[in-house]
Amino acid sequence: MVRYGMVIDLDRCVGCATCAVACKAENSVTSSTPEDYKNRRLMEWNRVVTVIKGKYPNVSGSIMPLICNHCENPPCVKVCPVDATYKREDGLVLQRYERCIGCKYCMVACPYQQRFFNFSKQEGKEYHNPDVPPRISGIVEKCTFCRHRIDKAIAEGKKIGSPDGVEPACTQACPAKTRIFGDLDDPDSAVSKLLRSRRNYQLRADLGTQPQVYYLD
Amino acid sequence: MDLKMKRRSFLKLAGVAGAATLGLGFSGTVIKALAQGPDAVRDEKWVSSVCIQCPAGCGTKVRVVNGKAVKIEGNPDHPYSNGKLCPKGYAGLQLLYDVDRVKSPMKRTNPNKGQDEDPKFMEVSWDEALNDIAAKLNQTRNEGKSHTVAFLSGRNQGRAGSVWGSFTKLYGTPNNIGHSSICADASKKARLCMDGTDDYCAYDWDNCNYVLNFGGATLEAWRPTNLMLQKWAHMRRGRPIRAKQVMVDTRYSTTAIKADEWLPVKPGTDGALALGISHVILTEGLWDRSFAGDFKKPGRKFITGETVKKEDFEEKWTLGLIDYWNNVLINFTPAKASEITGIPAEQITRIAKEFATTKPAIAAGERGAGAHTNGTYNHMAIHALNALVGSMFAQGGVMYQMGVPYASPSLKDDDYMDDIAKKADKDFKAHTLARIDEAKSDEWPIASNVYQNVPDNHAKGDPYKLSMMFTYYTNPLFSNPNPQRAWEGFKDVFMVETSSYLSETALYADYILPDAYYVERKQDMAVYASTGYPVTGFREQAVKPIYNNRDSMDVIIDLGKKMGGKTGEYFTKLGSHENMLREIAKGFEKTPGDNGVNGFDSWAEKGAWYKKPYIYRFINGKFYEWDGIGYNKEMKKTEEEKEEMKDGKKVKTITVKDPVKDKLLKTKSGKFEFRSSKLEAFTDKQKEILKSELKSPELYAYPHYEVPDFAGEKEGYPLHMSSPKMITHAEGRGANSQWLQERFGVVIGRGWTSWVELNPDKAEELGIKNGDEVWVESPIGKLKVMAVINPGNPPWLVVFPFEHGHWNYGRYAKGLGANPNEIIANLSAVISAQSATNATMVKVYKA
Amino acid sequence: MEYTKINGKSTGSYILIGILAIMVAVGLYEFIQGMTQGHESFGTSNVVPWGLPITSVIFFIGASAGALMLSSLTYVFGKEEYKPVSRVSIFLAILLIIGALTTILGELGRPDRFMNLFLYGPSNLTSMFAVNSFLYTGYIILSIVYLWTTFRADLLKTTKILAALAAILAIFVHTGTGAIFGFIVAKELWFSPLLPILFIVAALTSGVALLILILTVTFKLIGYKMDEKLVEGLGKYLIVFLLLQLFLVFIENIVRTYGGMGGGEMSKFLFSGPYSFVFWGIQIIFGTVVPIIILSSKKTMIKVQIASLLAVIGVFAERFNLVIPGQSVPSQQVVGRTMMGLYGEPAIYSISGAEVAIILGVVGAIGIAYILGLRFIKLLPSQP
């Protein structure tokens, strides 16, 4: 069975946030205004955060991208009262926009804060991706591993996964080739190989969510 | 199982039906879109283009669906993109579809100009605008004042440069002013003085194993940003040997976070560090003997404090090393460097040894080291390191970008110079007519531009007052240090602005001739220095201009046509921007690119012409040229004997051809000069002026540590201020993109705001908490900004990035944040005229 | 035991209904705004998606469960002295839970799709919301039947059975409500097995206290005399519940200070963060300790009434301190490190007019239903 996941090599990450912008462009995600930002309503399916430890001159920092981890044991799927968010057999945790009632239970359940609520109707912009229409107000959305690309590839029989198959927009966009996407159950895939090559960890593994996004230091 | 399926599908049906009935109009869009889906009939294509958000020139592919641009991605066939872009590239979509763009040519009806003045623009037609401007230009010209018309440009790529150049030449003004002095000219002029090339270096990152970087923010704004990011990651994890990255910078930047070692030098002291390192390399005997030569007695090293006799050392490809040692480096020990820079001496010694023994190594630097009054000399010391370790033109070292073999234009603008134009040219060359910024005058003999002095010079009327100004991709009322001078000074200049957005300069303009955004037009783009081998991208028109915008180059060509006379003749013959592109593309017929591009059509389709490899290489003490198979053709000095008839007598002439001097080390001696003949060739007057600005005038021709000046130091302002650019900052043209604004500070974690970074201890001392509003005050003025704590910054530094503080530029930029330029004093580096934007000191206190 | 209706035709009564109707109208307006324009005017954010409405929902459910459990005193435990208020308490319980569900509707992003809860709920019963929607529905139906049986003296045995069932269901309902929060691993301030128990105790407290307050106000307005013994008796239960509450809050937080998920940072946030005043000032001191002190001395009706008021405020603050700081505390994606920028700072939730309007609208609707209920149904004990 296919199990899609992502491996992020933090040694390569250069803190450019291209992944974040490419994701917004690809998925027609609403842009924010300064008020939205101050009110913590920024929609960022993919974001880049920095953690700094210590202070000058004994200081070290870490820059890392965060996305939905498409967990194997997703707390958001567990709590959705209308089964609008579900885990697909190939590993993607997806959202049925037409069913979501906007109760936001999944948002409080996600330990990674990677679910976003549409506080207002999304304006259609000319530059929105026609493959990913903007969402209505009152529902929750999040990273889909660019399911529109994956579904299209499945339909067309194309290869899926780094380095030469169809990838999510963030993976494709990263100039530092930080991210690898692919089938974690296939020992020959680039993701599996990279995962074997070094120490890796998942975020908040202690919570038992079994994230499928792995980080290499 | 069966039952479950049935029930699920029933429920699904019920649910959809229920949702459909209850959903009413709310889910309409979703249902419609789902019905359409990705299979709906659409006209989709991917068009090659080149991003314009920075000088790199990364090739892009624009996805156009039903005439709308919906995605910009990297062009896999462009060697700078390799299919990737930095975040600015993607944000181009928002700039294209910015609803606040200037939608047609505008004419000012309110004669008063000022920050609070409403220009009261009215729409005019192109013809009306251009006719009026052409008439004014002709009138000024006929009054003998053609030199009072200035053309200020920023991002003029490709043919834009030649169109402006021709226009100014034929018009008869020397004032074709570029912005390079508010960019990073210090490094270029330093190289010019030492190895004869006035350009940024190209770098063989793929093969480099050690990088000593002085003030170049690799991961934020060191162009070509996109390629830098790719190469960084490649050098870390993309090859068996992981390169070491050492970052010398005053602040805890993204690059400092990711580098192996961060050396937090005191501002303006990068040169001292480079000198200390050079000292160690020489005293430890670690210099590259195949490039710099050796003592006649092998094994001898330089000894601190001991002068060396010139005859004891035989230089190979360098000149002046011994003078350099005897005059500058002899006592510049790590201890001395440590005292100046604040870096521990042991670390300096260790880094020097590593740098010299981990080959190939690159010493690089950019604006961080250059934006100080001693910036040029800092860069000379830094560039000298490359010579000392044999990195010049070596594998894994530094080189210079090769030019693109465009076909020469058949139309020569020189042939169309009328008397006024010829006179202006003659007078400028004879130094009787100066440029408004005084570049190339005795004040600034080798500076390309002194952009930042234009407002003062105009206001003073020295050398003269300007009457008209054209601006192209530049915003002097915003991007200048202390732009308040321009706010005041440019009130009486007739301004024509080509920006498609309401920039500050646009608000001062008498006419706005809105440019088409890059996606809406064609252009060529020979890349910024990086790969060494030549690359040029092509910008194909992906979408039709959304508003009544036009490609500015076609506008200027039209303007030229309307001028009449010889200028009109020239531009009429020139025809259009596209004609120019077709013509230069003919050069590819002779030299097809590696990807098969051999003419205009294939160039436009593929989006890039390039030809690998870089054809020169320094190997084991000799220079070689690429012969198609390898670096096999040694570049030797040849002597050619010619016999010819002169005055009836047979005369033997011996011409010496020195390919290394012609193509690589383009100095007077054909060598890398530690003692610059370029500077020594200054006239006495020029030397006098230069020396009067130095604290160590006797060392004017050497790389040396010039104690930097800081504005505000004498007055007792306690904190240094650095004003860097973030990766989300698109040369002052990205403030209206929400995607860039909302994640403006990736390390700081803030968006939609300006900020000053403070060290936590310093903040505590000043009673400032994270997020507080503070005043940042310099001798020029003060600004109210939000303070953020960056635990990594040293306590003597505040960091105030450049981006915000626009008067307009669209609803997302208008009134947001503050512009650090408004408190940065107008100081310049000697020799290069680099604007010393990191040389202002400030004080910070709670608001 | 005789029950009676109120007259309900006085001017005061109509004015009161009028005021409540205005509240309903404003609430309805904000609800429709929210449904058509989106929740822009709410004070919630992507970090704190649950705000005052959810707080009110769990408060109402708690009060409802508490009131219902109170009625079981009469029929299950045979305490006849509480029979006079048994009908009112059941009626209030029904109104409060319906009010809670209405508030939930106002809180949903897409209230027009609420039927999905019933259509798809059964396919995901790990979701407490789904389970609760069935529990609440059952609870309402049972309570209505239960109330109806109290009117039939001949069905006393059925009433007693239903009372027991209702009490048990009330416990389940409120455990379920507590479990909404208790099962969430993501929020360190919520993930605790103590939460359902805390909820039940809070339900009892708020149920009793709210009942006392509403009865006091009702009797005052219709000019009845309150049975002092009754109130003082209820006061005894109140102090027990308040002490239990204090104990549970103490236990929960003291354990957290020793470490564990979030390393004690969460407790620190609660004790000294932006909401510390609501915690210490309103919930602990004002809402728990002071009523305990008041009730420790000899009970008089006035004292019990004051203590009830404080207890209600205290329970509401407790709900608030659960919902808001739980979300507001900076989440620890990278445990032990602070993130730069807003991510590393607590998200401050600001109470917005729209949300308050919706809640007040529901309160108004409950009020109108209550008044009309008193008028058309024999709920109140007749004065001797």
Side-chain angles (χ1 to χ4, degrees):
Chain A
M1 195 67 256
V2 173
R3 184 163 59 99
Y4 288 123
M6 189 180 283
V7 176
I8 300 181
D9 184 346
L10 292 181
D11 194 25
R12 279 178 171 268
C13 177
V14 286
C16 64
T18 303
C19 50
V21 178
C23 171
K24 295 206 81 152
E26 177 79 10
N27 290 292
S28 312
V29 183
T30 310
S31 298
S32 65
T33 61
E35 293 75 48
D36 288 336
Y37 189 85
K38 275 200 215 81
N39 293 331
R40 311 295 295 267
R41 289 182 179 178
L42 174 62
M43 309 278 280
E44 332 183 68
W45 292 13
N46 187 128
R47 58 184 162 129
V48 180
V49 300
T50 306
V51 291
I52 296 186
K53 187 157 177 65
K55 66 177 181 203
Y56 177 86
N58 289 319
V59 64
S60 68
S62 209
I63 305 179
M64 52 199 302
L66 298 177
I67 55 167
C68 164
N69 287 291
H70 294 268
C71 308
E72 273 296 293
N73 187 18
C76 57
V77 171
K78 275 214 198 72
V79 300
C80 179
V82 295
D83 202 23
T85 185
Y86 63 102
K87 181 142 178 99
R88 212 162 72 166
E89 287 144 340
D90 59 359
L92 269 52
V93 174
L94 298 170
Q95 186 85 357
R96 295 188 176 99
Y97 300 131
E98 69 280 7
R99 200 189 283 186
C100 176
I101 58 172
C103 70
K104 310 182 214 77
Y105 200 5
C106 58
M107 288 175 73
V108 299
C110 176
Y112 311 102
Q113 214 114 71
Q114 290 299 128
R115 291 182 146 265
F116 306 92
F117 183 72
N118 283 292
F119 283 90
S120 56
K121 183 154 163 284
Q122 288 190 7
E123 270 178 64
K125 298 269 187 199
E126 284 113 323
Y127 52 81
H128 275 165
N129 185 351
D131 299 330
V132 186
R135 277 65 64 189
I136 53 176
S137 72
I139 59 171
V140 173
E141 58 181 51
K142 68 165 190 73
C143 160
T144 61
F145 269 167
C146 283
R147 54 106 43 110
H148 56 281
R149 291 187 171 196
I150 294 176
D151 289 347
K152 187 155 179 266
I154 293 173
E156 293 174 358
K158 288 210 174 93
K159 183 167 181 280
I160 297 175
S162 310
D164 48 1
V166 168
E167 298 168 317
C170 56
T171 310
Q172 178 204 14
C174 176
K177 296 202 183 130
T178 298
R179 313 163 87 121
I180 305 276
F181 176 79
D183 182 4
L184 289 167
D185 279 345
D186 174 9
D188 291 324
S189 67
V191 261
S192 301
K193 289 195 185 135
L194 188 57
L195 215 49
R196 288 200 290 272
S197 70
R198 286 182 12 227
R199 280 195 309 251
N200 54 73
Y201 62 93
Q202 300 142 299
L203 290 181
R204 300 309 306 273
D206 60 312
L207 296 178
T209 52
Q210 294 174 45
Q212 296 306 293
V213 173
Y214 293 82
Y215 290 86
L216 310 180
D217 257 324
Chain B
M1 196 32 64
D2 220 34
L3 194 66
K4 196 174 176 192
M5 292 286 274
K6 276 205 207 137
R7 193 189 75 196
R8 192 183 276 169
S9 46
F10 165 72
L11 284 174
K12 223 192 243 181
L13 202 64
V16 170
T21 45
L22 289 168
L24 302 168
F26 305 120
S27 319
T29 340
V30 175
I31 291 177
K32 211 186 334 167
L34 288 172
Q36 274 195 338
D39 304 313
V41 171
R42 57 158 79 139
D43 166 35
E44 178 169 339
K45 58 181 175 171
W46 287 85
V47 178
S48 296
S49 187
V50 175
C51 180
I52 205 170
Q53 319 292 48
C54 93
C58 301
T60 63
K61 283 284 190 189
V62 182
R63 182 182 178 203
V64 183
V65 175
N66 296 333
K68 296 221 194 307
V70 295
K71 190 87 188 285
I72 299 177
E73 290 179 4
N75 184 348
D77 201 12
H78 190 292
Y80 276 39
S81 316
N82 303 306
K84 312 287 186 187
L85 289 177
C86 79
K88 303 187 282 292
Y90 290 88
L93 286 178
Q94 291 198 313
L95 301 182
L96 170 66
Y97 288 109
D98 184 350
V99 296
D100 294 320
R101 280 176 70 176
V102 178
K103 300 180 177 61
S104 91
M106 293 292 195
K107 179 179 169 158
R108 183 189 203 87
T109 58
N110 174 5
N112 297 324
K113 296 186 182 181
Q115 189 177 11
D116 301 313
E117 292 281 351
D118 177 3
K120 299 212 176 70
F121 286 121
M122 65 179 220
E123 278 187 27
V124 291
S125 70
W126 284 101
D127 277 334
E128 218 182 299
L130 292 178
N131 285 335
D132 190 18
I133 296 169
K136 274 203 167 57
L137 282 171
N138 276 328
Q139 186 188 12
T140 310
R141 196 166 199 259
N142 294 331
E143 287 170 4
K145 296 217 195 88
S146 61
H147 60 281
T148 63
V149 178
F151 296 81
L152 269 61
S153 61
R155 191 48 53 225
N156 58 347
Q157 301 174 332
R159 295 313 90 205
S162 65
V163 170
W164 283 121
S166 301
F167 199 96
T168 49
K169 191 192 285 190
L170 298 180
Y171 184 73
T173 173
N175 292 316
N176 187 0
I177 319 274
H179 73 288
S180 61
S181 60
I182 59 169
C183 183
D185 259 353
S187 72
K188 283 158 101 176
K189 300 305 173 195
R191 296 186 193 104
L192 174 65
C193 290
M194 303 193 80
D195 69 20
T197 303
D198 183 3
D199 200 0
Y200 299 109
C201 275
Y203 302 94
D204 184 9
W205 297 118
D206 283 337
N207 294 307
C208 175
N209 288 331
Y210 198 99
V211 179
L212 191 54
N213 180 355
F214 295 81
T218 316
L219 304 182
E220 286 174 292
W222 190 12
R223 281 63 194 270
T225 320
N226 179 11
L227 192 62
M228 289 295 191
L229 302 175
Q230 296 171 40
K231 294 297 180 193
W232 176 283
H234 180 74
M235 290 165 84
R236 300 302 247 177
R237 287 282 171 189
R239 30 175 244 194
I241 297 179
R242 180 191 166 91
K244 175 158 178 171
Q245 292 275 0
V246 177
M247 184 74 221
V248 178
D249 204 343
T250 54
R251 65 186 183 103
Y252 197 54
S253 60
T254 314
T255 321
I257 291 177
K258 305 279 325 186
D260 292 304
E261 269 187 75
W262 170 46
L263 273 58
V265 287
K266 294 257 172 62
T269 63
D270 308 70
L273 183 63
L275 293 170
I277 292 175
S278 303
H279 181 99
V280 173
I281 292 176
L282 292 179
T283 54
E284 294 285 332
L286 298 173
W287 72 91
D288 186 296
R289 289 163 179 76
S290 70
F291 188 81
D294 197 3
F295 283 102
K296 293 205 175 120
K297 193 161 120 199
R300 184 176 158 190
K301 299 181 193 169
F302 291 84
I303 299 176
T304 308
E306 271 185 34
T307 52
V308 172
K309 290 209 273 278
K310 274 215 230 182
E311 41 290 9
D312 288 351
F313 195 99
E314 195 172 323
E315 290 187 84
K316 283 201 74 184
W317 294 103
T318 61
L319 184 68
L321 176 60
I322 303 305
D323 289 328
Y324 184 31
W325 167 263
N326 288 338
N327 288 290
V328 181
L329 293 178
I330 184 169
N331 284 314
F332 217 101
T333 56
K336 178 161 178 190
S338 171
E339 207 183 295
I340 298 171
T341 60
I343 308 295
E346 318 80 64
Q347 193 175 17
I348 297 178
T349 311
R350 176 175 54 80
I351 297 277
K353 289 188 197 167
E354 282 178 15
F355 175 66
T357 53
T358 314
K359 294 204 182 188
I362 289 179
E366 268 320 340
R367 214 170 70 96
H372 287 281
T373 53
N374 62 355
T376 319
Y377 285 115
N378 284 341
H379 276 293
M380 286 171 73
I382 294 165
H383 194 50
L385 286 169
N386 286 316
L388 288 178
V389 297
S391 295
M392 294 302 300
F393 305 104
Q395 183 179 45
V398 308
M399 48 192 162
Y400 289 104
Q401 190 74 13
M402 290 167 64
V404 179
Y406 285 141
S408 306
S410 51
L411 204 59
K412 300 266 183 276
D413 54 11
D414 288 335
D415 300 337
Y416 293 84
M417 290 172 79
D418 67 2
D419 292 327
I420 297 177
K422 287 199 186 124
K423 181 172 188 302
D425 188 47
K426 199 169 104 202
D427 289 343
F428 178 66
K429 290 205 171 87
H431 289 257
T432 48
L433 173 66
R435 274 171 45 140
I436 185 67
D437 63 348
E438 295 181 307
K440 304 286 194 289
S441 70
D442 287 339
E443 279 277 331
W444 303 107
I446 57 173
S448 302
N449 299 293
V450 195
Y451 181 98
Q452 63 271 26
N453 284 352
V454 174
D456 294 333
N457 292 358
H458 163 75
K460 284 187 295 195
D462 171 17
Y464 44 80
K465 268 195 157 330
L466 292 174
S467 61
M468 285 178 78
M469 189 189 300
F470 286 70
T471 47
Y472 178 65
Y473 275 93
T474 190
N475 195 354
L477 285 106
F478 181 78
S479 308
N480 258 319
N482 193 352
Q484 296 90 318
R485 304 172 289 133
W487 301 355
E488 214 25 69
F490 289 163
K491 278 189 177 161
D492 55 358
V493 184
F494 185 89
M495 291 175 73
V496 179
E497 156 79 302
T498 55
S499 170
S500 188
Y501 307 92
L502 277 179
S503 63
E504 288 67 17
T505 308
L507 292 170
Y508 260 50
D510 291 274
Y511 274 104
I512 304 181
L513 306 175
D515 191 14
Y517 190 62
Y518 86 82
V519 179
E520 298 168 327
R521 56 182 166 82
K522 294 197 212 315
Q523 196 171 13
D524 68 308
M525 172 54 185
V527 294
Y528 194 91
S530 194
T531 48
Y533 58 82
V535 182
T536 180
F538 190 90
R539 223 167 244 148
E540 175 63 279
Q541 185 187 41
V543 298
K544 291 208 190 38
I546 301 170
Y547 307 114
N548 190 3
N549 310 89
R550 289 181 63 198
D551 176 355
S552 283
M553 291 307 102
D554 280 328
V555 169
I556 297 304
I557 291 173
D558 273 355
L559 180 64
K561 290 179 194 170
K562 287 188 197 286
M563 299 274 295
K566 286 246 154 170
T567 310
E569 263 182 63
Y570 173 77
F571 281 105
T572 312
K573 283 219 174 77
L574 193 64
S576 68
H577 190 181
E578 183 167 333
N579 280 357
M580 300 174 79
L581 295 171
R582 285 184 181 275
E583 211 179 349
I584 56 175
K586 292 209 179 88
F588 300 145
E589 287 164 22
K590 239 184 21 203
T591 330
D594 287 350
N595 57 353
V597 167
N598 59 358
F600 180 82
D601 292 321
S602 49
W603 187 28
E605 198 233 308
K606 297 235 162 117
W609 174 97
Y610 56 93
K611 195 157 179 65
K612 301 184 194 187
Y614 183 73
I615 60 173
Y616 306 109
R617 184 154 281 175
F618 178 73
I619 307 173
N620 284 336
K622 299 203 177 88
F623 284 93
Y624 295 89
E625 243 183 83
W626 179 263
D627 67 355
I629 302 168
Y631 291 105
N632 298 320
K633 182 163 151 221
E634 192 184 334
M635 293 167 75
K636 284 200 278 230
K637 253 195 224 182
T638 53
E639 280 183 9
E640 219 181 77
E641 233 181 67
K642 259 205 303 200
E643 262 190 29
E644 49 182 16
M645 301 300 290
K646 221 184 193 173
D647 301 328
K649 278 219 300 253
K650 231 195 223 171
V651 174
K652 237 195 232 176
T653 43
I654 302 176
T655 29
V656 177
K657 278 217 172 103
D658 186 348
V660 174
K661 180 173 170 184
D662 289 336
K663 303 190 175 141
L664 299 176
L665 297 169
K666 302 179 189 170
T667 53
K668 184 162 140 212
S669 58
K671 307 269 198 283
F672 188 100
E673 295 179 351
F674 291 107
R675 178 179 168 164
S676 173
S677 62
K678 185 96 186 166
L679 292 174
E680 290 187 323
F682 274 20
T683 65
D684 289 333
K685 177 111 184 21
Q686 292 167 350
K687 277 193 200 142
E688 195 189 307
I689 297 176
L690 172 59
K691 285 186 184 179
S692 70
E693 292 168 10
L694 300 181
K695 297 183 184 75
S696 317
E698 70 286 1
L699 300 176
Y700 80 99
Y702 296 103
H704 65 282
Y705 179 62
E706 260 302 308
V707 178
D709 286 323
F710 296 102
E713 191 175 24
K714 281 201 267 339
E715 295 91 318
Y717 289 84
L719 300 170
H720 286 275
M721 183 168 79
S722 163
S723 183
K725 303 183 195 182
M726 303 284 105
I727 193 162
T728 40
H729 164 82
E731 301 198 302
R733 295 195 299 277
N736 53 338
S737 160
Q738 294 161 288
W739 290 338
L740 296 178
Q741 283 274 31
E742 59 189 23
R743 50 193 50 84
F744 180 59
V746 180
V747 166
I748 289 295
R750 301 262 176 185
W752 289 111
T753 180
S754 293
W755 68 77
V756 274
E757 295 173 28
L758 289 173
N759 167 280
D761 294 328
K762 179 60 68 176
E764 204 180 311
E765 188 191 306
L766 298 169
I768 296 172
K769 286 195 302 300
N770 200 6
D772 279 351
E773 290 261 297
V774 296
W775 284 107
V776 185
E777 190 181 317
S778 80
I780 309 294
K782 64 180 185 186
L783 292 170
K784 198 193 267 195
V785 206
M786 179 175 78
V788 299
I789 308 292
N790 183 342
N793 280 341
W796 55 78
L797 189 73
V798 302
V799 178
F800 191 166
F802 171 50
E803 169 85 341
H804 302 108
H806 280 288
W807 303 349
N808 199 314
Y809 219 83
R811 67 195 60 190
Y812 298 116
K814 185 173 179 174
L816 184 73
N819 182 2
N821 280 333
E822 291 175 24
I823 55 173
I824 293 178
N826 183 22
L827 296 177
S828 303
V830 294
I831 300 175
S832 62
Q834 157 93 52
S835 180
T837 44
N838 288 333
T840 302
M841 296 186 75
V842 299
K843 63 175 170 223
V844 179
Y845 48 94
K846 245 183 111 115
Chain C
M1 193 72 248
E2 283 290 309
Y3 293 95
T4 164
K5 306 184 197 172
I6 60 166
N7 187 7
K9 294 212 185 83
S10 65
T11 338
S13 158
Y14 282 122
I15 291 177
L16 192 58
I17 292 187
I19 295 173
L20 294 171
I22 292 174
M23 281 162 67
V24 173
V26 175
L28 206 62
Y29 168 72
E30 283 295 347
F31 171 69
I32 294 178
Q33 276 284 93
M35 197 161 75
T36 52
Q37 312 282 51
H39 286 190
E40 250 183 327
S41 46
F42 283 35
T44 47
S45 65
N46 280 326
V47 187
V48 185
W50 281 353
L52 214 55
I54 289 281
T55 313
S56 312
V57 166
I58 52 182
F59 178 77
F60 287 152
I61 296 177
S64 164
L68 196 68
M69 284 190 264
L70 195 67
S71 79
S72 72
L73 278 176
T74 317
Y75 294 103
V76 178
F77 297 104
K79 300 222 185 253
E80 288 293 320
E81 60 267 36
Y82 296 110
K83 196 141 182 231
V85 298
S86 58
R87 283 196 197 172
V88 182
S89 52
I90 304 173
F91 186 64
L92 265 177
I94 296 171
L95 287 184
L96 284 169
I97 189 116
I98 294 179
L101 294 181
T102 320
T103 317
I104 292 182
L105 210 62
E107 204 272 332
L108 289 180
R110 290 249 68 103
D112 48 303
R113 295 180 182 176
F114 75 92
M115 279 308 294
N116 285 353
L117 272 168
F118 301 103
L119 289 170
Y120 301 109
S123 53
N124 196 22
L125 288 177
T126 50
S127 164
M128 283 318 298
F129 268 17
V131 171
N132 281 351
S133 54
F134 295 103
L135 274 178
Y136 297 164
T137 319
Y139 176 86
I140 293 174
I141 296 171
L142 185 64
S143 303
I144 292 174
V145 174
Y146 173 32
L147 182 65
W148 175 76
T149 58
T150 60
F151 284 87
R152 301 279 297 272
D154 55 316
L155 291 175
L156 188 60
K157 214 154 96 205
T158 325
T159 314
K160 286 205 173 140
I161 297 171
L162 287 179
L165 282 175
I168 295 170
L169 194 57
I171 292 176
F172 271 116
V173 157
H174 216 51
T175 309
T177 313
I180 292 176
F181 299 91
F183 286 3
I184 300 295
V185 278
K187 303 281 184 272
E188 290 89 359
L189 279 175
W190 294 358
F191 190 62
S192 158
L194 275 183
L195 219 58
I197 300 173
L198 196 69
F199 264 56
I200 295 174
V201 174
L204 289 168
T205 316
S206 59
V208 172
L210 198 61
L211 192 67
I212 293 173
L213 283 177
I214 292 182
L215 285 175
T216 310
V217 171
T218 314
F219 280 30
K220 249 240 153 76
L221 286 177
I222 54 180
Y224 275 24
K225 195 169 158 309
M226 193 76 184
D227 180 357
E228 296 212 0
K229 279 271 151 34
L230 186 77
V231 175
E232 285 161 26
L234 286 175
K236 266 192 293 200
Y237 289 108
L238 190 59
I239 189 174
V240 171
F241 298 147
L242 282 168
L243 283 168
L244 263 175
Q245 233 182 284
L246 195 61
F247 175 69
L248 286 169
V249 170
F250 173 75
I251 282 288
E252 206 183 22
N253 285 304
I254 201 90
V255 170
R256 286 202 188 108
T257 56
Y258 274 68
M261 282 206 301
E265 289 298 314
M266 307 305 130
S267 291
K268 240 191 267 170
F269 182 78
L270 195 59
F271 294 162
S272 56
Y275 297 103
S276 57
F277 173 69
V278 186
F279 180 71
W280 290 115
I282 303 181
Q283 179 187 337
I284 299 293
I285 298 186
F286 197 64
T288 318
V289 172
V290 170
I292 289 177
I293 295 175
I294 294 178
L295 291 170
S296 310
S297 58
K298 184 158 180 314
K299 291 179 211 5
T300 66
M301 190 173 79
I302 297 288
K303 278 196 192 161
V304 176
Q305 286 164 338
I306 293 174
S308 300
L309 180 63
L310 295 179
V312 164
I313 295 173
V315 171
F316 192 84
E318 185 194 341
R319 308 298 194 181
F320 184 88
N321 279 325
L322 176 77
V323 174
I324 309 296
Q327 299 168 84
S328 173
V329 63
S331 66
Q332 302 249 319
Q333 276 94 340
V334 187
V335 183
R337 297 276 195 280
T338 321
M339 287 192 193
M340 295 289 289
L342 284 181
Y343 303 123
E345 289 174 22
I348 301 303
Y349 166 72
S350 47
I351 298 174
S352 69
E355 293 163 289
V356 173
I358 291 180
I359 297 166
L360 288 181
V362 171
V363 170
I366 293 176
I368 294 177
Y370 179 64
I371 295 175
L372 293 178
L374 289 181
R375 189 166 142 180
F376 295 109
I377 310 174
K378 284 190 182 152
L379 292 173
L380 285 177
S382 39
Q383 287 275 277

